[in-house]
Amino acid sequence: MAGAELSAGWLRALPSGVDPCGENGEFHTFVTHAPVFAELVDVSPGEVVERDGFVCAGLLPGARRSTAGKIAGERARSSAG
């Protein structure tokens, strides 16, 4: 699941016992667009690696945005003025 976009399907696929908010440190997120951002953060998932029982996905420069991300970013820019 490392490197995947957070979505309703991703949340449904979480194993039982995993807090869907990640409150127990089960996962971390990286925000690429929000109303307070001047522009989208242009990154894509990098290599997924496992170290000491933890799975991590790196971030690389470059776009791999979902349609939802593009729409959200466009809304953020249009509402900003």
Side-chain angles (χ1 to χ4, degrees):
M1 297 179 87
E5 283 190 33
L6 188 64
S7 67
W10 186 87
L11 288 170
R12 283 190 298 274
L14 289 174
S16 64
V18 172
D19 183 290
C21 296
E23 290 294 322
N24 299 312
E26 297 96 335
F27 59 88
H28 300 278
T29 59
F30 182 88
V31 177
T32 59
H33 57 276
V36 297
F37 290 4
E39 59 187 52
L40 297 174
V41 178
D42 194 14
V43 295
S44 62
E47 181 181 6
V48 176
V49 296
E50 183 175 349
R51 283 187 222 128
D52 302 320
F54 295 94
V55 179
C56 306
L59 290 175
L60 301 171
R64 193 208 79 166
R65 300 182 191 125
S66 69
T67 303
K70 289 180 183 175
I71 292 169
E74 290 166 5
R75 285 183 187 149
R77 284 191 293 279
S78 66
S79 67

